[in-house]
Amino acid sequence: YPQFTLTPCGGCSQVIAATQAFSSLKSLHDLECCGIIDRDFRSVEEVAKLEQRNIFSLEVSEIENLLLTEETLRLVAKESLFDTVEIESRVGQVKQRVFEELKKEKERVISSIVAGTVRAKLMAFDSKVLGMTNIQGSLDVVYNSIDVKKVYEETATEINRIIIEQDYVSAIKTYDSKGLIHRVILPIGRSGHEYCDYVKRLLAHSNGEALRQALRQYVSLGHTTVYPPVESTPSIPNGQ
């Protein structure tokens, strides 16, 4: 994002708070401010509400999963001088490993998504109402909106669909697992640390526009984002 100054702010809550605080003072600085956060099981409705406040969620579960997009895997494999058939084979092996890991952690993933959904609904409790009757009424509204069994069954159905249909885009959008890269990336020909360092170098290099362009579809800043055109797809540096 050459038109933005990037400032790490910590976790999602800190990013949200910082974005809102900076935006509220626009009369002083006249600058546009956007926040980028992990998706973290947020519903479509939650994502839309945050976007209204210029806070944008990644199109993957967490930022590490950007390094596991098919586009990133293929670019790195290509620069390792694999031919087309070998590239597809190695990328396919990484994807298969991701599905295997998701299958092993299926219960945790489902439970985390359900817990996140319940937590979001609890946040709807109106703590500003006055009087016992109104407080009880507000609590009843929240309580009646939470059907754990239904949410769990719907979530389990979706996770099973992702695994059965081998829906990779949905997998990396849903599956959060720290250290996943290190467990699945070996078929690309690099260790997890080597792979991460290499991708970061590509992103910072002048010849890394192909990768930056590929990742922008996963990190949208809405109508505020303007990108320079891509003139070519040059060779990517392969330093160690």
Side-chain angles (χ1 to χ4, degrees), residues 49-113:
K49 287 180 181 179
L50 286 168
E51 286 184 357
Q52 292 174 2
R53 294 146 60 186
N54 261 12
I55 299 161
F56 299 89
S57 302
L58 298 172
E59 287 299 317
V60 290
S61 179
E62 55 188 15
I63 195 166
E64 291 86 349
N65 284 10
L66 287 174
L67 305 188
L68 289 174
T69 64
E70 288 193 54
E71 295 87 348
T72 305
L73 295 172
R74 285 198 174 91
L75 278 169
V76 175
K78 181 179 179 180
E79 290 305 312
S80 297
L81 303 180
F82 298 128
D83 61 32
T84 301
V85 173
E86 187 73 8
I87 289 172
E88 292 306 311
S89 173
R90 289 176 179 267
V91 171
Q93 290 176 54
V94 173
K95 291 167 61 177
Q96 189 57 45
R97 289 186 176 204
V98 170
F99 287 118
E100 290 171 358
E101 292 292 322
L102 174 56
K103 189 174 182 178
K104 287 191 290 188
E105 290 200 89
K106 183 172 68 171
E107 187 61 47
R108 181 193 65 79
V109 173
I110 294 170
S111 297
S112 296
I113 294 173

Side-chain angles (χ1 to χ4, degrees), residues 1-3 71-72 75 79 199-217 225-237:
Y1 300 109
Q3 76 278 36
E71 295 87 348
T72 305
L75 278 169
E79 290 305 312
V199 172
K200 285 187 283 189
R201 290 202 303 273
L202 297 187
L203 288 171
H205 198 277
S206 59
N207 283 350
E209 181 59 27
L211 179 58
R212 292 192 290 271
Q213 190 74 9
L215 292 183
R216 281 170 184 149
Q217 63 183 302
T225 308
V226 179
Y227 304 119
V230 180
E231 296 180 356
S232 64
T233 306
S235 175
I236 298 173

